[in-house]
Amino acid sequence: MKIEDIRQMYQQGNIDTKEYAARMFEKYEELFAYKELLKQSKVKEISINEQEVLFKIFMNSIANNAQEYEVIMELQKKDSAAVQNTILSLGDYESEELDMVSRIVDFIRKEENKATFFDIGANLGWYTINIKKQYPDMEVYAFEPVKENYLRLQKHMSLNQVSGVNAYNIGMHCENTNMEFYYDICASGASSLANLLEHDDTEIVSCKVVRLDDFVNEHSVSSIDFIKCDVEGSELFVYEGGLDSIKRYKPVIFSEMLRKWAAKFGYHPNDIIELLATAGYECYVIGDQGKLKKFSRVDERTVEKNYFFFHPQKHEAVLHQMEEGWME
């Protein structure tokens, strides 16, 4: 029974004060269980006030020799699959991937004294905030088409005192238009142009999408060094709309590619590998001991869902570092 149900029973006179206090204390006792849960998680503090419930997540910085920094994220009703919930329940979230992304960004910054990061499908801001926390001087562009998620992205940037992010309430696609998105209330990160999870309370919302190439030209973007793209099955269309920019700037690309999501849009992840190959890219996954290994084709035995794309000439140095065990 939920706390609000117990309170309602008491207010309606169905239980007396003594029973009400006893039942409520049973709920309060669950707070002691959270102490044990925090010991096994990167979430180290939970704070509650009249307006919000906040998780304080402790991360290790690649930029500052593994020194800790904090990421604060708000608990949302119904959004059970949100990053912060996953970290509290399972202890971590895509730690190898974030570590790899951070190290690649760190290398690029040291080589070129700057770096521009595009977070396409920013959702609640997990990658945007972690990159900005480690590299405050980074130029970061964050794109989130669903208005509700975009507002929560802004809230998280404010909670974390992250400034200087170029945040846009738009998505990326192969055309400039308005499209219907399925906003999944119970799994906001699965919001997509297709109804992926088919939950009963999924909402249909209209969102603006643009071509990456047109955005780059209209906003006079002079370089892109890293693209993180996680758009729940629409990744191919993002790259089709940004192929000229990809060929011009040759960014490292970190992409989710799932067979089941791609199938909803009538293509296969290998179509992305083949498209980016026309721009000179090769595909890699994270292998043993946190090193990158070359990857060729997705098949029914493939278990990976996140992939890195490198231009072998442009990224020769960073690939060499990976092969030499840079992930120590």
Side-chain angles (χ1 to χ4, degrees):
M1 186 176 292
K2 296 180 179 179
I3 287 178
E4 53 262 39
D5 296 329
I6 299 172
R7 285 176 55 81
Q8 187 175 35
M9 288 176 63
Y10 175 65
Q11 290 166 353
Q12 293 175 349
N14 295 322
I15 56 176
D16 61 22
T17 301
K18 184 177 180 180
E19 185 176 354
Y20 170 66
R23 289 196 183 195
M24 290 295 284
F25 183 70
E26 288 179 1
K27 294 296 181 182
Y28 304 155
E29 281 189 310
E30 294 180 9
L31 294 172
F32 294 108
Y34 281 91
K35 289 175 59 179
E36 298 304 314
L37 195 57
L38 294 178
K39 292 177 183 178
Q40 305 169 42
S41 171
K42 286 190 174 180
V43 176
K44 295 303 180 185
E45 292 182 19
I46 300 174
S47 62
I48 304 171
N49 58 49
E50 292 181 355
Q51 286 78 38
E52 57 202 359
V53 178
L54 302 177
F55 291 0
K56 185 177 289 186
I57 306 164
F58 284 70
M59 306 293 292
N60 294 318
S61 175
I62 297 299
N64 295 309
N65 299 316
Q67 291 183 10
E68 282 190 337
Y69 64 92
E70 301 171 357
V71 175
I72 300 171
M73 302 194 79
E74 183 181 16
L75 178 66
Q76 294 287 331
K77 288 185 176 180
K78 295 189 176 182
D79 195 358
S80 60
V83 169
Q84 58 270 37
N85 304 342
T86 301
I87 296 174
L88 180 60
S89 300
L90 302 179
D92 210 341
Y93 173 78
E94 292 191 357
S95 57
E96 279 195 325
E97 289 87 345
L98 179 59
D99 189 64
M100 179 66 76
V101 169
S102 300
R103 290 181 182 274
I104 292 170
V105 168
D106 191 75
F107 183 87
I108 293 172
R109 288 179 70 257
K110 289 176 179 176
E111 286 287 295
E112 302 183 15
N113 296 318
K114 64 178 182 62
T116 302
F117 187 98
F118 269 46
D119 187 354
I120 301 176
N123 190 232
L124 308 182
W126 180 245
Y127 275 91
T128 286
I129 291 168
N130 274 281
I131 290 299
K132 263 294 190 178
K133 281 275 189 173
Q134 295 180 88
Y135 311 103
D137 62 336
M138 279 277 292
E139 186 169 14
V140 174
Y141 290 78
F143 305 93
E144 174 51 49
V146 177
K147 185 62 174 289
E148 190 67 28
N149 288 342
Y150 176 74
L151 293 175
R152 291 163 69 187
L153 165 66
Q154 289 188 313
K155 172 75 176 289
H156 285 144
M157 289 192 297
S158 175
L159 285 171
N160 287 280
Q161 299 181 329
V162 165
S163 61
V165 174
N166 304 291
Y168 295 88
N169 183 205
I170 58 176
M172 293 291 172
H173 204 260
C174 57
E175 56 182 325
N176 302 315
T177 186
N178 289 314
M179 304 184 77
E180 288 188 342
F181 277 69
Y182 293 87
Y183 168 51
D184 198 311
I185 297 172
C186 296
S188 66
S191 300
S192 172
L193 285 167
N195 192 1
L196 300 180
L197 301 181
E198 299 181 355
H199 289 155
D200 292 338
D201 54 2
T202 296
E203 298 179 1
I204 298 177
V205 294
S206 179
C207 303
K208 181 180 179 180
V209 295
V210 302
R211 297 175 71 253
L212 175 60
D213 285 337
D214 292 335
F215 178 88
V216 166
N217 292 332
E218 290 172 11
H219 292 80
S220 301
V221 177
S222 59
S223 68
I224 308 174
D225 299 289
F226 196 106
I227 292 175
K228 168 255 169 183
C229 181
D230 182 354
V231 291
E232 304 305 302
S234 296
E235 288 80 12
L236 176 65
F237 311 122
V238 173
Y239 304 132
E240 287 178 341
L243 197 57
D244 288 344
S245 299
I246 291 170
K247 289 179 177 178
R248 185 188 316 157
Y249 299 124
K250 299 178 178 61
V252 176
I253 299 172
F254 170 52
S255 180
E256 181 179 70
M257 300 193 310
L258 293 178
R259 296 189 298 275
K260 61 181 180 179
W261 290 168
K264 294 271 190 176
F265 294 91
Y267 75 92
H268 192 277
N270 289 331
D271 295 332
I272 294 177
I273 295 175
E274 292 168 4
L275 176 68
L276 293 178
T278 67
Y281 278 77
E282 295 176 344
C283 184
Y284 289 78
V285 295
I286 300 175
D288 295 336
Q289 299 179 346
K291 298 179 184 179
L292 288 172
K293 65 176 181 179
K294 192 173 290 188
F295 182 87
S296 56
R297 307 282 294 177
V298 175
D299 59 32
E300 295 307 313
R301 298 168 298 175
T302 301
V303 296
E304 290 85 3
K305 65 176 184 178
N306 293 308
Y307 302 79
F308 290 84
F309 291 88
F310 295 87
H311 190 280
Q313 286 75 47
K314 171 74 178 293
H315 305 127
E316 180 181 5
V318 66
L319 284 171
H320 176 71
Q321 289 282 359
M322 298 297 164
E323 294 167 352
E324 291 298 317
W326 187 39
M327 301 298 293
E328 295 176 358

